Amino acid sequence: MQWKRRLAIGVLSLGILVGCATTGEQMATKEKSLYDRLGGKPAITAVVDDFVARVAADRRINRFFANTDIPSFKAKLIDQICEASGGPCKYTGKDMKTAHAGMGITDADFNALVEDLVATLDKFKVPEKEKSELLAVLGPMKKDIVTR
Ligand code: HEM
């Protein structure tokens, strides 16, 4: 009889342990990546399309892009944002310092570009949280882009 009680207690304890572990696992479930929350590659592609069109029409900064191969620039930007937001892409373009070297980009130029991006994110109704997370990923690049 004794062994049956021990077995019952053993099984019960195991059950409680497994139950706790499962709850712990659920509690530790990670938030989706920014990439997923933004809507993945299709959403990022739509954002970059709209954003680059705004930049191209923005007389404050479009002179910088006069000789730019726009489709190639867009593809690089998509990969960069995809990778930086935790997506499955690999950015293979130049690092930000090299890409913008010698352009003499000012604070005002940088802010104009960010303004265009925010207008796009607002148009697509990207929530405040995801908007600020994306801007927080791009913000630190400023020190390598603004040289004047
Ligand atoms: C966080 C802000 C920015 C990001 C993430 C960014 C990203 C990029 C990327 C990925 C490239 C492509 C690099 C390559 O060709 O390998 C690029 C190139 C370039 N960027 Fe930016 N950029 C930013 C800000 C700016 C600003 C403020 C300007 C000017 C107002 C600017 C002007 C350019 C130009 C003219 C090119 C060269 C395109 C070409 O090859 O003709 N960028 N940028």
Side-chain angles (χ1 to χ4, degrees), residues 61 64-65 67-69 73 76-77 80 91 93-94 96 99-100 103 105 109-110 113 138-139 141-142 145:
I61 53 174
F64 287 100
F65 298 89
N67 299 314
T68 298
D69 173 348
F73 173 63
K76 284 174 187 159
L77 214 49
Q80 188 189 37
Y91 172 66
K94 297 172 187 157
M96 289 298 93
H100 302 91
M103 289 186 192
I105 296 170
D109 299 328
F110 189 88
L113 180 130
L138 302 178
M141 299 176 184
K142 181 175 174 180
I145 294 170

Side-chain angles (χ1 to χ4, degrees), residues 48-49 52-53 55-56 62 65-77:
V48 168
D49 275 343
V52 171
V55 169
N62 59 7
F65 298 89
N67 299 314
T68 298
D69 173 348
I70 295 293
S72 149
F73 173 63
K74 273 188 193 172
K76 284 174 187 159
L77 214 49

Side-chain angles (χ1 to χ4, degrees), residues 28-96:
T29 298
K30 276 214 253 121
E31 189 187 30
K32 275 188 175 180
S33 66
L34 175 59
Y35 171 81
D36 283 330
R37 283 178 284 131
L38 286 171
K41 194 101 177 244
I44 292 174
T45 303
V47 161
V48 168
D49 275 343
D50 187 88
F51 164 62
V52 171
R54 279 176 203 273
V55 169
D58 188 338
R59 292 176 61 181
R60 294 172 296 177
I61 53 174
N62 59 7
R63 67 184 182 281
F64 287 100
F65 298 89
N67 299 314
T68 298
D69 173 348
I70 295 293
S72 149
F73 173 63
K74 273 188 193 172
K76 284 174 187 159
L77 214 49
I78 291 167
D79 276 346
Q80 188 189 37
I81 293 176
C82 169
E83 183 178 11
S85 61
C89 316
K90 185 92 196 96
Y91 172 66
T92 55
K94 297 172 187 157
D95 65 84
M96 289 298 93

